[in-house]
Amino acid sequence: MVPMNLHLGAVVSPTAEQGFRWLERGALLVDGEGSIAAVGDAEPLIQAYPTANVIDHGSGLLLPGFVDAHVHFPQYLMAGSHGESLLTWLERYTFPAEIECADQAYAEALAGQFLDELARQGTTAAFIFGVSYQGAMEALVSELNRRQLAAVTGNVWMDRNGPAELLKTPADSAAISHHLIGLMGPDLRLGLLPRFVPSCSEEAMARCAEILAQHPEALLQSHLAETLAEQTWVAELHPEAADYTAVYESFGMLGSRSSFAHGVHLGDREWSALAASRSSLVHCPTANLFLGSGLFDLRRAREAGVSVGLGTDVGAGTSLCMLESLKACYQVQRLQGASISVEDLLSLATLGSAGVLGMADRIGSLEPGKRADFILLQPPEGSWLAQRWSRCDRLEEQVFAAIILGSAQDIAGTWIRGRRVSP
């Protein structure tokens, strides 16, 4: 029998009942299969499981692993390129970076580097925008399976308004998507990924929606209303549509298995359509700020009843660390006169994003029966955050300070299915 591990430390987590768990001296019991067997106060669990291997993390905080609801695998090494507006930035930096993935050896190495960095940053699950090349996607899926990362990913669909090297016919994109389904392990789901409306012909959109309807385990993700220039372009391409969202709607792409990154510039009808269809949005604050796209209105999303996750959107995003995305999220809301609680912030980066991946039943919170995907938040001794923590009276203060002052150096450990993967 594989021994169970009992991790001791403060336990901080949202719960499925929309509550929140704050345990000053808590414990997380992980079984031999990599699932959470129990969560609670430390002493009762120590007594209840005397044969468990006790791992005491001292003053560290045990949190659910971060769930990045929107990140681009092929853009990992082009992040930090000098800022441009979205459409110019795509042409100058994004498309060339993705074309590099035509080289199979390069794509294999990039997949490993990218997933290593996610682990170092405390991310244990992600909705990963891929690239249009089958070989590159095979490399990524293989690495995801090997590491047992919970993820949604797939090939990017685009058949117009891009470099010839990246364009695929709708039939070819469909064939690649079908091929990838057969390669995915139990913790992976296919993502159908039309890049955005300007990149996809009507035939491509219709074929993509058809596959979504045929495969109930698949999810769809695209980009929506990121910039005003993009919206103008969409209106020129689809003058018959009431708005940007209406184009996706006309192809049957809205629904509970669909999510859209950004949603910065949405009208009243669009908010209503997204809410009625139970589509989700993914807020990507560092990318919106970097490209000057605009400020996402989280308060409006809540009022409309639209579910929201959080993403880094690397390469436009400026960090793979979800702490950085949380800080930017807080600041973006403050700029609009709104405030967001520590509980709401942490929920966005964990259980909220897990919902975007369609995996809230297995990841996103520290609860019995879920995967033991968690991180240890513990700043290095003598660091600025450690000094700030010494003056905090409550766990809430510590978590908020970590969101505002923290970085990857404060993620002292990352576990996936109970196995430590970083450092």
Side-chain angles (χ1 to χ4, degrees):
M1 177 181 290
V2 179
M4 292 192 288
N5 290 324
L6 189 62
H7 293 265
L8 307 184
V11 175
V12 177
S13 175
T15 66
E17 293 77 25
Q18 298 184 330
F20 218 88
R21 177 176 282 119
W22 299 97
L23 300 176
E24 292 279 354
R25 185 61 175 165
L28 187 68
L29 184 68
V30 179
D31 66 23
E33 301 300 317
S35 296
I36 298 172
V39 185
D41 290 317
E43 291 309 316
L45 285 179
I46 291 172
Q47 295 175 16
Y49 298 93
T51 63
N53 178 38
V54 175
I55 304 170
D56 195 337
H57 298 289
S59 61
L61 275 59
L62 297 170
L63 278 67
F66 291 127
V67 182
D68 189 340
H70 183 71
V71 62
H72 292 259
F73 144 66
Q75 299 177 27
Y76 167 59
L77 292 182
M78 51 134 310
S81 300
H82 188 269
E84 300 281 354
S85 62
L86 171 65
L87 301 180
T88 303
W89 187 84
L90 286 171
E91 294 177 1
R92 183 168 297 177
Y93 302 117
T94 300
F95 294 151
E98 296 193 1
I99 289 170
E100 287 188 274
C101 290
D103 183 319
Q104 184 73 15
Y106 172 81
E108 290 173 357
L110 185 67
Q113 294 165 5
F114 171 72
L115 296 178
D116 283 345
E117 191 63 21
L118 285 186
R120 192 175 75 86
Q121 304 282 358
T123 295
T124 57
F127 203 130
I128 304 172
F129 239 75
V131 69
S132 57
Y133 300 115
Q134 178 172 308
M137 290 312 302
E138 289 173 345
L140 178 61
V141 169
S142 176
E143 274 298 294
L144 288 167
N145 282 329
R146 185 178 70 82
R147 297 167 188 244
Q148 296 186 296
L149 205 75
V152 182
T153 194
N155 54 301
V156 171
W157 290 52
M158 55 185 298
D159 66 340
R160 67 177 182 179
N161 294 324
E165 298 96 323
L166 292 176
L167 301 184
K168 301 284 185 184
T169 67
D172 286 342
S173 290
I176 295 171
S177 291
H178 281 299
H179 173 69
L180 293 177
I181 289 177
L183 302 180
M184 293 184 169
D187 294 307
L188 298 185
R189 299 181 71 175
L190 175 69
L192 291 162
L193 310 173
R195 184 185 292 279
F196 66 159
V197 167
S199 293
C200 296
S201 67
E202 293 187 7
E203 181 186 355
M205 296 283 274
R207 189 67 180 274
C208 192
E210 181 182 293
I211 296 176
L212 181 68
Q214 291 172 349
H215 296 277
E217 78 284 358
L219 302 177
L220 181 140
Q221 188 173 93
S222 192
H223 299 84
L224 172 65
E226 184 174 358
T227 70
L228 293 174
E230 171 197 2
Q231 281 192 290
T232 298
W233 193 11
V234 170
E236 292 170 352
L237 292 168
H238 292 274
E240 79 288 350
D243 45 54
Y244 196 160
T245 302
V247 180
Y248 290 114
E249 194 173 9
S250 69
F251 290 100
M253 287 181 163
L254 301 190
S256 60
R257 291 186 287 130
S258 298
S259 59
F260 300 90
H262 307 300
V264 174
H265 305 283
L266 295 172
D268 291 343
R269 197 210 71 82
E270 293 176 283
W271 283 114
S272 297
L274 291 168
S277 63
R278 295 171 59 208
S279 302
S280 300
L281 291 174
V282 183
H283 179 27
C284 305
T286 70
N288 296 158
L289 293 172
F290 178 71
L291 294 176
S293 302
L295 306 178
F296 177 74
D297 192 343
L298 181 61
R299 180 169 50 187
R300 180 66 186 277
R302 298 288 194 232
E303 291 171 351
V306 175
S307 298
V308 179
L310 192 70
T312 63
D313 195 21
V314 164
T318 53
S319 173
L320 280 172
C321 184
M322 292 289 279
L323 290 173
E324 297 281 358
S325 290
L326 285 168
K327 175 171 68 175
C329 174
Y330 179 80
Q331 293 169 332
V332 164
Q333 301 318 306
R334 293 300 300 135
L335 283 170
Q336 298 172 91
S339 188
I340 180 170
S341 71
V342 178
E343 293 179 346
D344 281 348
L345 280 167
L346 194 57
S347 294
L348 272 175
T350 54
L351 200 53
S353 288
V356 173
L357 273 64
M359 298 183 183
D361 61 332
R362 69 187 90 167
I363 62 172
S365 59
L366 303 181
E367 299 182 87
K370 289 195 170 186
R371 286 170 42 121
D373 294 350
F374 61 96
I375 62 172
L376 175 66
L377 191 59
Q378 192 167 42
E381 187 176 351
S383 68
W384 187 16
L385 182 58
Q387 294 176 64
R388 175 68 185 91
W389 269 19
S390 70
R391 302 171 66 87
C392 293
D393 296 325
R394 297 178 298 124
L395 289 177
E396 293 94 326
E397 292 182 48
Q398 288 185 298
V399 173
F400 185 68
I403 289 170
I404 302 302
L405 304 177
S407 65
Q409 72 165 355
D410 304 302
I411 309 294
T414 302
W415 285 259
I416 291 178
R417 295 200 66 91
R419 179 175 58 87
R420 189 166 190 160
V421 297
S422 181

